[in-house]
Amino acid sequence: MNKSIKPLQNTSILPWESSTTIEAAEPRLPGVSIVMPVYNAGTFIEKTIRSLMLNDLSGCEVILMDGGSTDDTVSIANHYKKLFTKIVSERDEGQSDAINKGFAISTKPILYWLNGDDIILPNTLVKVRREFASRSNADIVVGNAYMTELDFSPIRHFKFPPECLRFEYLLNYAQNHLVQPSVFFSQRAWKACGPVKKDLHYAMDADLFIGMSRKFEMISMDLDIAYSVYHEECKTRGKRAESIVELAMVQAAHGGMTECKNTLNVLVSEFNELKKRFDSNEYSGAAIEILNSRIAAMERDWKKNIELAMRAKILEE
């Protein structure tokens, strides 16, 4: 892909563009279907698109799934229309629905999604494709990633050695989470563990990756793949309480009742901290009591289902 497409805004030029030489992908490499689920991403999406341009996309496809944006998201994408295999702009049921629709029309053996405010680093795509090609058992490849500020200054560097990619470790996802734009997976893994649940709006990736780690080996790749950009409009930043509760429900659904309760305790601690900050004695623990009663009910149901499964010899004792 020619990286010479002129930007609509000079502020969207990435700091490393002028110094990057794009590494060519060998023709034998497996292709990647890259799905971009976006909605009103006009503030950030041009940088995301330009980060893709700093990778050789030959043999790959890029599918934009826009949820009917009312800003300039689609016009920006159309400026780069040569980059995209398909641009879909229609109302959907949220990010999870957009991801599912994008992967449903994908044709390549490796799958990846890139949100409209994240960055894939230069020449990482070809290296990931080589990793898949070199391993017959490759179904999920996980690289390293940075969480950054809007100006790409690092907040935290995430590394994922093999011991961090086991099911038992990832079940404690609040503490041991992956960084979604550094994870690639096969069509086989997606068909076994997907699609992502449409009723999940914050923890759909946690649910998918925890499920995948139970069924497949996750391969660690010591390569910085992506920047996950943290900003005021991030869903998990603006709706932190909702995202914590949703993650807890996901952990419970995978059998992690202790991990679920620990995640909810994070919310309790944050509420208590707010109480101290505002010096108020009016806060009621009723909401937390309701959540805990929901967890207790889910725990009873989960244990009951395990018992029934064992009786039916679905699970070994």
Side-chain angles (χ1 to χ4, degrees):
M1 174 59 61
N2 192 334
K3 65 176 182 176
S4 64
I5 300 176
K6 292 183 178 180
L8 291 168
Q9 299 183 39
N10 287 334
T11 54
S12 295
I13 298 175
L14 299 171
W16 49 86
E17 283 192 31
S18 61
S19 60
T20 296
T21 300
I22 298 175
E23 188 174 348
E26 298 82 7
R28 64 176 178 80
L29 293 179
V32 183
S33 294
I34 302 163
V35 170
M36 293 182 62
V38 297
Y39 178 72
N40 285 349
T43 305
F44 310 100
I45 192 174
E46 189 172 18
K47 289 182 180 179
T48 302
I49 293 171
R50 295 192 72 81
S51 75
L52 278 169
M53 289 168 50
L54 299 179
N55 286 266
D56 183 0
L57 296 173
S58 59
C60 298
E61 62 185 3
V62 184
I63 302 168
L64 184 80
M65 299 299 300
D66 173 69
S69 292
T70 56
D71 66 355
D72 56 352
T73 296
V74 174
S75 64
I76 294 172
N78 282 329
H79 177 73
Y80 295 91
K81 61 184 178 182
K82 291 182 180 179
L83 179 81
F84 293 96
T85 306
K86 194 172 187 64
I87 296 176
V88 177
S89 184
E90 60 187 21
R91 293 188 64 179
D92 55 38
E93 298 177 50
Q95 185 182 13
S96 294
D97 189 33
I99 292 166
N100 290 338
K101 287 179 176 179
F103 286 150
I105 60 175
S106 65
T107 65
K108 303 302 180 180
I110 304 169
L111 302 178
Y112 177 69
W113 88 76
L114 184 66
N115 295 321
D117 54 1
D118 291 330
I119 298 292
I120 184 170
L121 295 174
N123 293 317
T124 56
L125 195 57
V126 65
K127 294 180 175 66
V128 171
R129 295 168 69 187
R130 288 170 183 156
E131 187 75 7
F132 272 92
S134 68
R135 294 175 176 262
S136 60
N137 66 332
D139 281 292
I140 302 111
V141 170
V142 181
N144 303 328
Y146 282 91
M147 177 182 288
T148 77
E149 301 285 2
L150 274 172
D151 63 358
F152 304 133
S153 58
I155 299 173
R156 181 178 172 185
H157 190 202
F158 292 87
K159 291 191 172 185
F160 301 102
E163 60 270 19
C164 295
L165 301 178
R166 301 190 307 269
F167 170 75
E168 295 79 8
Y169 190 86
L170 291 178
L171 196 56
N172 186 17
Y173 208 82
Q175 296 296 322
N176 305 326
H177 64 87
L178 301 181
V179 180
Q180 178 272 313
S182 70
V183 182
F184 293 75
F185 44 89
S186 67
Q187 289 273 6
R188 185 168 80 108
W190 172 253
K191 290 174 182 176
C193 302
V196 290
K197 296 180 177 64
K198 291 196 292 185
D199 60 340
L200 295 179
H201 302 288
Y202 309 99
M204 76 287 286
D205 55 334
D207 182 53
L208 180 66
F209 297 153
I210 292 172
M212 284 182 171
S213 71
R214 186 196 289 270
K215 294 186 176 182
F216 297 93
E217 178 188 0
M218 288 187 163
I219 294 172
S220 172
M221 188 175 184
D222 191 14
L223 173 72
D224 291 328
I225 288 177
Y227 285 171
S228 180
V229 182
Y230 196 57
H231 55 85
E232 291 297 333
E233 295 180 38
C234 284
K235 286 197 304 182
T236 51
R237 186 170 186 170
K239 300 287 185 179
R240 180 159 170 76
E242 290 92 333
S243 65
I244 290 173
V245 171
E246 189 172 283
L247 175 58
M249 298 301 106
V250 164
Q251 290 171 300
H254 285 279
M257 302 309 304
T258 299
E259 292 81 2
C260 169
K261 291 174 181 176
N262 290 340
T263 297
L264 287 179
N265 282 336
V266 173
L267 190 61
V268 174
S269 298
E270 292 193 359
F271 279 142
N272 288 337
E273 182 62 28
L274 284 174
K275 284 199 319 179
K276 291 179 183 179
R277 286 172 57 190
F278 290 100
D279 194 26
S280 169
N281 295 320
E282 297 178 1
Y283 174 74
S284 169
I288 299 303
E289 291 177 10
I290 292 171
L291 288 172
N292 283 331
S293 64
R294 286 182 65 190
I295 295 303
M298 291 183 70
E299 185 171 17
R300 288 193 297 271
D301 290 343
W302 176 68
K303 289 181 178 178
K304 180 180 178 181
N305 289 336
I306 291 295
E307 182 180 351
L308 290 172
M310 286 183 175
R311 287 180 183 176
K313 297 183 179 180
I314 296 172
L315 296 174
E316 294 183 0
E317 296 192 45

